[in-house]
Amino acid sequence: MKSNATLIYNLFLVVGDFVTLVLAFVIAYVLRVSIDHHRVAHQISALNYFQAFVVLLPLWIIVFALIGLYENNISEKRFSEIGKLFVGSLLGILLVIGYSYGFNKVIFPAHLVAVYSFILSFGLLLIFRSLARNIKYFMFKKGFAITNLLIVGDTEMTHTLVESLFDYKTSGYKIIGIVGPKSHQKDDYKSIPIFDTFEQAYDKLGVERIHSIVQTELYSSTTKNNDVLTYAQTNHCAYRFIPGNSELFIGNIAVELFRSSIPVIAVHQTPLIGWGRIAKRLFDILFSLIVLIILSPILILISLLIILFNPGTILFSQERITRFNTTFKVYKFRTMKRKLSGRDPVTVFKEMQRPDLVEAFLAAKKLDNDPRITRLGGFIRKYSLDELPQLINIIKGDISLVGPRAIVPGELKYYKDKDSLLLSIKTGVTGLAQVSGRSDLDYYERAQLDLYYVQNWSFWLDLTILLKTIRVVFDRIGVK
């Protein structure tokens, strides 16, 4: 492609990662060996040590590539990049250790060198990647490594795309033209040339100026669409198109050969299929068992406190819906008064002669100060301790650790025609909605976040949500 900015940046990352790893291992050697060389387990010369890692580091870089550290948009996903750097550093050091044992070659002069190497590798890679990102944006601000973009189409997505990329100093894309009716263009980007036809655009702009083409709508004429694609291929321009029905392409997309010869696009409701479901289930079981064992004293203490200060059943169970519209009983610590727990909220508030509570609950499906909750229950809810018994639901396979919020049957109507999509995966104890505001979000916002999670699941997203859950619980974000 004409604009090699992305390729050059990725090459810079590869070289930079390699040099950074070399530096990390050199520092690790110096810290342990040069300072106290008399107490090392193996007398490995600096030259032999360095040569071993120069041979093994290319394999380490391949590991980085396999886990996605050189994807084009990796720098835009800061948290994902950090997580992958940690995993990549761990896998890399395990690769070195495995090589040492497998080939019976002593590489590390002492065990601490391996520990130092891992810590330094991860730390220095973080610093380098941050520096690389800042260099990239500095280049954008100076007008270097900019990709000239021509947009073909006049849809709402065209306007969204322009608004997102308009400032080339931050996006790295400079929109040099839009093909579409001038009467439909917004005043916000009058500075961008508007062309009636694609032919007019490349005649006026010139072949060398167009680096990339994004088509936001397909013409009714197959010939016109082929003209755009053929031009891009002939002149070595990057080409992308955005489908008119964007929801059709959200989830897991795969190009397959149907009947061995017909190319088709397979669209799954969620990326959580195949190995993903297996990995997620294994992680759920392992994590839940470990947490149950560690937190068993807290579970016992909460149970005793409920018996003492809120006599009645310890656990509260309610029918909820999970994957494929399957109903199950969700377990929680009972936080409401015994006579009010499990009853219809509207009925209870009417008996209390509190029409204001009825109105507030029907509007948001939650209350800031619910009179049904006891003082002990309020404390338990504040730190989400009432959710802990759901670990039993996870082990049973009713729900997952991370997923959409488990909903009661009567709430399906609020998801309208999206309920089948929402229930294509198991619901979860925590989820994107819970870590994005908790009680601060209205019902519609929570539903949208749950739907986003279903359509964009990844193992990295699960790990991100789990880490954010810890912060949200301890900071009590969104708790009232």
Side-chain angles (χ1 to χ4, degrees):
M1 298 306 168
K2 292 180 181 177
S3 178
N4 294 318
T6 301
L7 177 62
I8 293 172
Y9 180 70
N10 285 337
L11 180 61
F12 174 67
L13 290 182
V14 170
V15 175
D17 286 346
F18 187 91
V19 173
T20 301
L21 289 171
V22 170
L23 180 63
F25 282 101
V26 168
I27 295 175
Y29 183 91
V30 171
L31 285 176
R32 183 65 186 89
V33 179
S34 297
I35 295 175
D36 189 9
H37 65 277
H38 296 293
R39 298 181 61 183
V40 297
H42 308 281
Q43 293 295 333
I44 306 297
S45 69
L47 180 60
N48 290 337
Y49 173 84
F50 183 77
Q51 287 176 338
F53 279 104
V54 169
V55 172
L56 289 173
L57 284 183
L59 298 178
W60 198 321
I61 296 298
I62 291 174
V63 170
F64 278 10
L66 291 174
I67 64 176
L69 276 168
Y70 301 115
E71 293 176 353
N72 291 342
N73 61 345
I74 187 65
S75 63
E76 309 300 329
K77 302 175 181 178
R78 183 58 174 155
F79 190 88
S80 176
E81 184 180 32
I82 293 173
K84 290 183 178 182
L85 283 174
F86 179 83
V87 173
S89 300
L90 182 60
L91 291 176
I93 201 69
L94 291 176
L95 175 70
V96 176
I97 295 172
Y99 173 84
S100 176
Y101 278 99
F103 290 90
N104 196 26
K105 291 185 177 181
V106 178
I107 296 178
F108 295 109
H111 295 307
L112 274 180
V113 177
V115 177
Y116 291 163
S117 299
F118 168 68
I119 296 173
L120 285 167
S121 297
F122 178 59
L124 292 178
L125 283 168
L126 279 180
I127 295 172
F128 165 69
R129 287 293 180 119
S130 298
L131 179 62
R133 181 182 292 100
N134 290 332
I135 291 174
K136 182 177 73 169
Y137 289 129
F138 176 78
M139 296 289 285
F140 288 164
K141 289 180 181 179
K142 295 299 181 180
F144 296 107
I146 300 296
T147 299
N148 291 338
L149 178 66
L150 175 65
I151 299 177
V152 179
D154 180 47
T155 64
E156 189 60 38
M157 185 54 68
T158 303
H159 309 313
T160 302
L161 193 61
V162 171
E163 290 172 1
S164 174
L165 304 177
F166 189 74
D167 185 5
Y168 69 87
K169 294 181 179 180
T170 57
S171 70
Y173 287 91
K174 185 175 183 180
I175 303 174
I176 59 174
I178 300 174
V179 179
K182 295 181 180 180
S183 58
H184 293 175
Q185 304 301 330
K186 295 185 177 181
D187 294 335
D188 297 342
Y189 40 90
K190 279 185 174 180
S191 59
I192 301 175
I194 308 298
F195 304 98
D196 293 324
T197 64
F198 180 70
E199 292 77 9
Q200 185 186 64
Y202 66 71
D203 282 342
K204 293 287 182 68
L205 294 172
V207 174
E208 294 302 320
R209 286 195 62 198
I210 304 173
H211 299 156
S212 180
I213 298 173
V214 174
Q215 193 168 353
T216 60
E217 65 175 326
L218 294 177
Y219 294 115
S220 57
S221 169
T222 303
T223 303
K224 286 187 175 182
N225 294 322
N226 287 338
D227 287 343
V228 177
L229 179 59
T230 301
Y231 176 88
Q233 293 173 336
T234 303
N235 295 283
H236 309 289
C237 301
Y239 173 83
R240 300 177 181 88
F241 84 91
I242 300 175
N245 183 6
S246 58
E247 290 191 2
L248 182 66
F249 292 86
I250 295 177
N252 182 267
I253 311 297
V255 179
E256 303 172 352
L257 287 179
F258 188 67
R259 304 285 297 176
S260 302
S261 60
I262 304 172
V264 296
I265 297 177
V267 182
H268 301 280
Q269 289 178 307
T270 174
L272 187 54
I273 56 176
W275 74 268
R277 282 180 59 179
I278 297 173
K280 186 175 176 68
R281 179 63 183 145
L282 292 175
F283 181 78
D284 283 344
I285 295 173
L286 181 62
F287 187 91
S288 300
L289 286 173
I290 292 173
V291 173
L292 270 177
I293 294 171
I294 294 174
L295 297 184
S296 55
I298 296 177
L299 294 170
I300 295 171
L301 177 60
I302 293 174
S303 300
L304 292 175
L305 290 174
I306 292 174
I307 293 173
L308 289 173
F309 298 102
N310 190 10
T313 57
I314 296 173
L315 297 179
F316 161 78
S317 65
Q318 185 183 44
E319 188 176 86
R320 297 287 179 91
I321 301 178
T322 186
R323 188 179 62 191
F324 305 149
N325 289 76
T326 304
T327 57
F328 72 101
K329 293 287 186 181
V330 65
Y331 303 120
K332 293 186 178 184
F333 280 123
R334 182 171 59 85
T335 58
M336 295 185 181
K337 298 171 184 176
R338 180 172 58 85
K339 294 182 179 180
L340 303 180
S341 182
R343 295 183 60 195
D344 176 56
V346 175
T347 302
V348 172
F349 297 145
K350 286 181 178 178
E351 291 178 359
M352 292 180 177
Q353 297 183 347
R354 294 289 304 274
D356 57 319
L357 296 180
V358 174
E359 183 179 349
F361 181 80
L362 291 176
K365 302 300 171 187
K366 59 184 177 65
L367 292 175
D368 293 340
N369 297 294
D370 195 329
R372 298 173 298 166
I373 300 174
T374 64
R375 290 181 63 184
L376 174 62
F379 175 82
I380 293 174
R381 285 196 175 198
K382 180 184 292 186
Y383 294 98
S384 299
L385 298 174
D386 59 316
E387 311 281 354
L388 291 179
Q390 291 183 56
L391 293 170
I392 300 172
N393 287 117
I394 295 175
I395 295 173
K396 287 176 60 181
D398 297 329
I399 59 177
S400 181
L401 189 63
V402 181
R405 173 178 167 269
I407 57 178
V408 298
E411 293 177 339
L412 281 178
K413 59 186 178 182
Y414 297 105
Y415 289 86
K416 299 180 180 179
D417 59 339
K418 301 294 185 182
D419 57 322
S420 59
L421 176 60
L422 176 73
L423 297 174
S424 61
I425 68 174
K426 290 181 181 180
T427 54
V429 176
T430 185
L432 191 58
Q434 289 92 319
V435 300
S436 301
R438 299 179 75 184
S439 299
D440 295 333
L441 301 175
D442 61 31
Y443 199 86
Y444 175 78
E445 290 172 323
R446 296 200 300 270
Q448 291 300 112
L449 288 169
D450 282 340
L451 290 171
Y452 176 87
Y453 173 83
V454 171
Q455 295 176 312
N456 297 274
W457 174 86
S458 70
F459 196 72
W460 291 111
L461 180 58
D462 275 3
L463 294 179
T464 301
I465 291 172
L466 285 175
L467 291 175
K468 286 186 176 181
T469 298
I470 297 172
R471 180 178 65 86
V472 165
V473 169
F474 283 98
D475 291 346
R476 302 197 298 277
I477 296 172
V479 179
K480 295 180 180 179

